[in-house]
Amino acid sequence: MNGATTSSAPRPNVRRGRVDKRQAILAAAFRVFARTGYDQSCVREIAAEAGVAKPTIYNHLLDKEALFHEAMRAAAHDTFAEALTALDQLRAPEADTYAMLEKVGHHLLRCHCDERSWALRRLLHAEVTRFPSLVEAIHQEGEQRVRHALADRLARLALTGRLRTDDPDMAAEQFLALLTGPMEVRSGLGTRQVPDTETHAVVRAAVETFLRAYGT
């Protein structure tokens, strides 16, 4: 008699497949919500977008509201992860401060102005009264994390004498506002294309204004 035993634990490839399918569903759901809005979207359309059967979605998520929450949080996670990566460029102590801030500013603005990021913010604005806790959670987990990470980098630059600030969190908030504020207006919340030359001008103006206030 064979002494081999079998385990009831799920095989790794089975778990991986379930995770991949969930991610595909969330990505499809975000595309549909961004395209038609929360009220006009339906689970059947999302299932078709994801290439799965409608019951499969309910196997992963309870209902349309849960699907919206998870799809928004997944999109926010990816969007803000890219912005956090951009801030790594502020670690280079030998770089010219202006050039370094300009490079980071361009990267941050690309993250802010890609279609997924615009769609995320438009959906948050549209559904803020329906899902205030979701909006607050994304603000805490995303926007504030980016600001705090930027503040940490600016504080390090201040310690080495390359910036002058007693409040790096305020400095970070103002730098981000100088970058993103003009683009919100010029692009109509992402509904109009802004030429690259104009984007570069916004970044340069933001860096110059920031260094007039915080430069040494």
Side-chain angles (χ1 to χ4, degrees):
M1 182 176 179
N2 193 326
T5 60
T6 58
S7 171
S8 60
R11 294 189 301 276
N13 61 331
V14 174
R15 289 197 298 268
R16 180 71 260 171
R18 182 173 176 82
V19 170
D20 289 345
K21 185 165 288 187
R22 180 184 176 89
Q23 290 174 342
I25 290 170
L26 293 179
F30 182 76
R31 292 194 299 270
V32 172
F33 287 130
R35 195 162 59 231
T36 62
Y38 180 80
D39 281 331
Q40 299 304 314
S41 301
C42 67
V43 174
R44 183 181 295 105
E45 182 183 4
I46 292 168
E49 181 88 13
V52 300
K54 184 177 175 181
T56 302
I57 290 184
Y58 291 118
N59 288 337
H60 287 264
L61 295 132
L62 181 64
D63 53 24
K64 177 181 168 181
E65 183 174 327
L67 186 55
F68 183 75
H69 275 252
E70 292 302 312
M72 293 289 282
R73 293 181 82 148
H77 176 272
D78 292 343
T79 295
F80 292 118
E82 292 173 8
L84 289 168
T85 299
L87 299 180
D88 286 340
Q89 297 168 86
L90 288 177
R91 295 179 183 274
E94 73 284 354
D96 173 74
T97 304
Y98 182 97
M100 187 166 51
L101 287 173
E102 187 177 22
K103 186 176 181 180
V104 170
H106 277 296
H107 197 150
L108 287 172
L109 213 48
R110 282 199 300 272
C111 295
H112 184 81
C113 294
D114 74 10
E115 184 49 43
R116 179 179 57 191
S117 184
W118 283 126
L120 177 68
R121 291 196 299 283
R122 286 194 295 263
L123 279 167
L124 288 174
H125 293 160
E127 302 299 338
V128 64
T129 56
R130 192 198 306 258
F131 303 118
S133 61
L134 173 64
V135 175
E136 179 61 22
I138 290 177
H139 176 68
Q140 294 283 343
E141 297 167 9
E143 293 172 356
Q144 285 198 9
R145 279 186 65 204
V146 172
R147 194 182 79 235
H148 291 329
L150 176 57
D152 177 73
R153 305 295 191 276
L154 297 180
R156 293 170 188 269
L157 291 174
L159 286 173
T160 60
R162 301 175 67 180
L163 291 178
R164 183 185 67 253
T165 176
D166 295 325
D167 190 346
D169 196 63
M170 176 68 75
E173 184 178 52
Q174 291 180 346
F175 184 59
L176 291 170
L178 287 167
L179 287 169
T180 61
M183 294 302 289
E184 299 273 338
V185 176
R186 293 173 190 234
S187 70
L189 289 178
T191 59
R192 294 193 301 272
Q193 185 69 35
V194 178
D196 288 343
T197 53
E198 198 171 333
T199 300
H200 285 290
V202 167
V203 175
R204 286 195 299 271
V207 174
E208 289 166 6
T209 302
F210 181 79
L211 287 179
R212 278 198 291 270
Y214 295 105
T216 54

